Amino acid sequence: MKFSSVLVVAGIAGAVDAAQDICRALVLSGGGNNGSWEAGVFHGLVNNATPADYAYDVVTGVSAGSINTLAFAGWEIGREVEMSTWISDLWRNLNTSDVWKDWPLGKVSGVTIMGGAVDNSPLLNFMQDLIVPFDGYKRKVTLSTVDVDNGVYTEFD
């Protein structure tokens, strides 16, 4: 059975006494649409439990989880309910065209000439627009990616 790291970390964090001197971390996995699922789980947790139990100091993610990581990073600790609504709306309003588009000559030309079945350049604009509303990072952040061409894993913090 597959468990998402967001549930495991959220459950552990929720069980810790808030009065303790602790650092809470949220680990978000990748996997395309899993980013939407993670946002929904977080929204459910902070809106149906004690939001302070999910006030993470550190957020890290890979792939789709890195989109959520960037979104979480711009919000001050203590504003988890607002953040959960904002990030849920972000995913609810996301369109395929915000992430990728077909190559002008089709998928076959993309694979043979451009190096990919689709053009994912819209994703860069989406990610840049994602951070525009924020005036800096409010939490410690680590993002990671894997280059599909060569398998190289890269971290950004």
Side-chain angles (χ1 to χ4, degrees):
M1 177 179 228
K2 180 180 172 187
F3 291 96
S4 175
S5 53
V6 71
L7 284 180
V8 174
V9 173
I12 292 169
V16 175
D17 181 6
Q20 294 177 355
D21 186 20
I22 59 171
C23 176
R24 293 182 182 192
L26 177 62
V27 179
L28 300 164
S29 65
N33 291 336
N34 284 343
S36 177
W37 181 86
E38 289 169 343
V41 168
F42 185 78
H43 186 272
L45 290 170
V46 301
N47 284 281
N48 293 293
T50 305
D53 289 342
Y54 304 98
Y56 300 105
D57 303 294
V58 179
V59 184
T60 184
V62 64
S63 194
S66 66
I67 295 171
N68 288 335
T69 297
L70 274 178
F72 278 57
W75 290 86
E76 294 87 3
I77 293 173
R79 295 185 61 199
E80 285 70 30
V81 173
E82 293 170 83
M83 177 181 63
S84 73
T85 299
W86 184 85
I87 197 167
S88 292
D89 289 344
L90 175 81
W91 281 100
R92 182 180 303 111
N93 297 316
L94 184 66
N95 296 305
T96 300
S97 60
D98 296 325
V99 179
W100 62 269
K101 62 184 178 182
D102 287 325
W103 294 108
L105 299 175
K107 288 181 179 21
V108 173
S109 68
V111 172
T112 59
I113 299 169
M114 305 305 288
V118 295
D119 175 2
N120 66 356
S121 61
L123 183 58
L124 177 59
N125 292 330
F126 172 78
M127 295 295 287
Q128 290 171 334
D129 291 344
L130 177 71
I131 60 174
V132 167
F134 306 112
D135 62 356
Y137 297 115
K138 309 297 190 282
R139 303 161 197 255
K140 173 74 175 149
V141 173
T142 301
L143 306 172
S144 55
T145 64
V146 177
D147 187 321
V148 296
D149 291 328
N150 58 27
V152 173
Y153 175 83
T154 306
E155 286 185 10
F156 304 92
D157 59 12

